[in-house]
PDB file of all heavy atoms in Angstrom:
ATOM      1  N   LYS J 600      -7.206 -35.546 -11.004  1.00 97.00           N
ATOM      2  CA  LYS J 600      -6.942 -34.845 -12.266  1.00 97.00           C
ATOM      3  C   LYS J 600      -7.887 -33.647 -12.358  1.00 97.00           C
ATOM      4  O   LYS J 600      -9.089 -33.781 -12.106  1.00 97.00           O
ATOM      5  CB  LYS J 600      -7.166 -35.788 -13.447  1.00 97.00           C
ATOM      6  CG  LYS J 600      -6.906 -35.152 -14.800  1.00 97.00           C
ATOM      7  CD  LYS J 600      -6.784 -36.185 -15.916  1.00 97.00           C
ATOM      8  CE  LYS J 600      -8.117 -36.675 -16.396  1.00 97.00           C
ATOM      9  NZ  LYS J 600      -8.030 -37.395 -17.698  1.00 97.00           N
ATOM     10  N   PHE J 601      -7.336 -32.490 -12.710  1.00 96.00           N
ATOM     11  CA  PHE J 601      -8.101 -31.247 -12.832  1.00 96.00           C
ATOM     12  C   PHE J 601      -7.784 -30.605 -14.186  1.00 96.00           C
ATOM     13  O   PHE J 601      -6.805 -30.957 -14.839  1.00 96.00           O
ATOM     14  CB  PHE J 601      -7.707 -30.249 -11.731  1.00 96.00           C
ATOM     15  CG  PHE J 601      -7.993 -30.716 -10.334  1.00 96.00           C
ATOM     16  CD1 PHE J 601      -7.057 -31.463  -9.622  1.00 96.00           C
ATOM     17  CD2 PHE J 601      -9.194 -30.409  -9.707  1.00 96.00           C
ATOM     18  CE1 PHE J 601      -7.313 -31.888  -8.331  1.00 96.00           C
ATOM     19  CE2 PHE J 601      -9.462 -30.836  -8.417  1.00 96.00           C
ATOM     20  CZ  PHE J 601      -8.516 -31.579  -7.717  1.00 96.00           C
ATOM     21  N   THR J 602      -8.614 -29.607 -14.566  1.00 94.00           N
ATOM     22  CA  THR J 602      -8.214 -28.744 -15.672  1.00 94.00           C
ATOM     23  C   THR J 602      -7.247 -27.703 -15.110  1.00 94.00           C
ATOM     24  O   THR J 602      -7.071 -27.595 -13.892  1.00 94.00           O
ATOM     25  CB  THR J 602      -9.407 -27.998 -16.288  1.00 94.00           C
ATOM     26  OG1 THR J 602      -9.924 -27.095 -15.305  1.00 94.00           O
ATOM     27  CG2 THR J 602     -10.491 -28.965 -16.717  1.00 94.00           C
ATOM     28  N   LYS J 603      -6.683 -26.894 -16.007  1.00 93.00           N
ATOM     29  CA  LYS J 603      -5.748 -25.869 -15.532  1.00 93.00           C
ATOM     30  C   LYS J 603      -6.435 -24.820 -14.660  1.00 93.00           C
ATOM     31  O   LYS J 603      -5.772 -24.141 -13.868  1.00 93.00           O
ATOM     32  CB  LYS J 603      -5.101 -25.163 -16.723  1.00 93.00           C
ATOM     33  CG  LYS J 603      -4.010 -25.969 -17.383  1.00 93.00           C
ATOM     34  CD  LYS J 603      -3.400 -25.104 -18.460  1.00 93.00           C
ATOM     35  CE  LYS J 603      -2.326 -25.837 -19.209  1.00 93.00           C
ATOM     36  NZ  LYS J 603      -1.846 -25.022 -20.334  1.00 93.00           N
ATOM     37  N   SER J 604      -7.729 -24.667 -14.836  1.00 91.00           N
ATOM     38  CA  SER J 604      -8.419 -23.672 -14.016  1.00 91.00           C
ATOM     39  C   SER J 604      -8.926 -24.272 -12.712  1.00 91.00           C
ATOM     40  O   SER J 604      -9.590 -23.601 -11.933  1.00 91.00           O
ATOM     41  CB  SER J 604      -9.576 -23.054 -14.795  1.00 91.00           C
ATOM     42  OG  SER J 604     -10.442 -24.074 -15.256  1.00 91.00           O
ATOM     43  N   GLY J 605      -8.627 -25.572 -12.476  1.00 94.00           N
ATOM     44  CA  GLY J 605      -8.965 -26.178 -11.201  1.00 94.00           C
ATOM     45  C   GLY J 605     -10.285 -26.914 -11.188  1.00 94.00           C
ATOM     46  O   GLY J 605     -10.767 -27.313 -10.130  1.00 94.00           O
ATOM     47  N   LYS J 606     -10.878 -27.129 -12.376  1.00 93.00           N
ATOM     48  CA  LYS J 606     -12.125 -27.893 -12.441  1.00 93.00           C
ATOM     49  C   LYS J 606     -11.790 -29.381 -12.292  1.00 93.00           C
ATOM     50  O   LYS J 606     -10.955 -29.911 -13.025  1.00 93.00           O
ATOM     51  CB  LYS J 606     -12.815 -27.626 -13.782  1.00 93.00           C
ATOM     52  CG  LYS J 606     -14.103 -28.383 -13.961  1.00 93.00           C
ATOM     53  CD  LYS J 606     -14.640 -28.150 -15.371  1.00 93.00           C
ATOM     54  CE  LYS J 606     -15.796 -29.100 -15.660  1.00 93.00           C
ATOM     55  NZ  LYS J 606     -16.188 -29.074 -17.057  1.00 93.00           N
ATOM     56  N   PHE J 607     -12.500 -30.042 -11.375  1.00 95.00           N
ATOM     57  CA  PHE J 607     -12.223 -31.455 -11.109  1.00 95.00           C
ATOM     58  C   PHE J 607     -12.643 -32.329 -12.292  1.00 95.00           C
ATOM     59  O   PHE J 607     -13.741 -32.167 -12.835  1.00 95.00           O
ATOM     60  CB  PHE J 607     -12.965 -31.891  -9.848  1.00 95.00           C
ATOM     61  CG  PHE J 607     -12.964 -33.380  -9.637  1.00 95.00           C
ATOM     62  CD1 PHE J 607     -11.781 -34.055  -9.355  1.00 95.00           C
ATOM     63  CD2 PHE J 607     -14.137 -34.113  -9.749  1.00 95.00           C
ATOM     64  CE1 PHE J 607     -11.776 -35.430  -9.179  1.00 95.00           C
ATOM     65  CE2 PHE J 607     -14.146 -35.488  -9.570  1.00 95.00           C
ATOM     66  CZ  PHE J 607     -12.961 -36.151  -9.293  1.00 95.00           C
ATOM     67  N   LEU J 608     -11.778 -33.274 -12.664  1.00 95.00           N
ATOM     68  CA  LEU J 608     -12.083 -34.167 -13.778  1.00 95.00           C
ATOM     69  C   LEU J 608     -12.149 -35.635 -13.376  1.00 95.00           C
ATOM     70  O   LEU J 608     -13.026 -36.365 -13.830  1.00 95.00           O
ATOM     71  CB  LEU J 608     -11.017 -34.003 -14.877  1.00 95.00           C
ATOM     72  CG  LEU J 608     -10.953 -32.662 -15.596  1.00 95.00           C
ATOM     73  CD1 LEU J 608      -9.773 -32.643 -16.568  1.00 95.00           C
ATOM     74  CD2 LEU J 608     -12.247 -32.378 -16.348  1.00 95.00           C
ATOM     75  N   LEU J 609     -11.202 -36.084 -12.548  1.00 96.00           N
ATOM     76  CA  LEU J 609     -11.091 -37.524 -12.310  1.00 96.00           C
ATOM     77  C   LEU J 609     -10.406 -37.792 -10.976  1.00 96.00           C
ATOM     78  O   LEU J 609      -9.449 -37.104 -10.618  1.00 96.00           O
ATOM     79  CB  LEU J 609     -10.258 -38.160 -13.449  1.00 96.00           C
ATOM     80  CG  LEU J 609      -9.969 -39.657 -13.374  1.00 96.00           C
ATOM     81  CD1 LEU J 609     -11.244 -40.462 -13.644  1.00 96.00           C
ATOM     82  CD2 LEU J 609      -8.886 -40.054 -14.383  1.00 96.00           C
TER      83      LEU J 609
END
Side-chain angles (χ1 to χ4, degrees):
Chain J
K600 181 165 80 165
F601 297 88
T602 66
K603 283 184 182 174
S604 55
K606 179 185 170 190
F607 169 67
L608 294 176
L609 178 71

